[in-house]
Amino acid sequence: MLIQFLPLIGLVVLFYFLMIRPQQKRMKQHQQMLGGLKRGDTVVLSSGMIGKVVRVEDKEVGLEIATGVTVKVVKAMVADVRTRGEPSPANDSKV
């Protein structure tokens, strides 16, 4: 009886390691990338549009796609972060 189910179990295990696990890894990396978005980052949207992040909210991101043109996009549509924005300098009056 076990010998009859062994090929089926083998296919399920193979399917898991070749399809499901790599997809979960890509999703985890994408979530980390979205969590690390900050103002000044240059990003590429899934549509191919490139813009600079001007505002980050919970589920949406404000992108400047041209000088003075800002659009609001869903955070999940960010496909890649090309360049990271520089951290803003502290406004210390001490020198």
Side-chain angles (χ1 to χ4, degrees):
M1 182 97 163
L2 181 64
I3 294 174
Q4 291 176 346
F5 289 112
L6 196 58
L8 183 62
I9 292 171
L11 284 175
V12 169
V13 169
L14 185 68
F15 185 74
Y16 174 76
F17 281 108
L18 292 179
M19 300 287 284
I20 297 172
R21 189 158 182 218
Q23 178 64 26
Q24 287 176 340
K25 187 176 179 182
R26 281 192 298 270
M27 285 179 56
K28 186 177 180 182
Q29 289 174 343
H30 189 254
Q31 291 298 327
Q32 288 176 344
M33 179 190 65
L34 292 180
L37 277 179
K38 62 185 179 300
R39 189 172 181 225
D41 290 349
T42 301
V43 297
V44 179
L45 299 180
S46 59
S47 65
M49 190 176 294
I50 299 172
K52 186 179 236 183
V53 176
V54 294
R55 183 178 64 252
V56 178
E57 297 174 4
D58 290 337
K59 296 186 184 235
E60 297 174 343
V61 175
L63 289 180
E64 184 177 34
I65 56 174
T67 306
V69 180
T70 304
V71 295
K72 191 184 275 191
V73 296
V74 177
K75 209 177 204 182
M77 292 297 111
V78 174
D80 189 27
V81 177
R82 282 211 172 158
T83 57
R84 294 283 179 185
E86 296 296 323
S88 58
N91 294 329
D92 293 339
S93 59
K94 304 174 194 172
V95 177

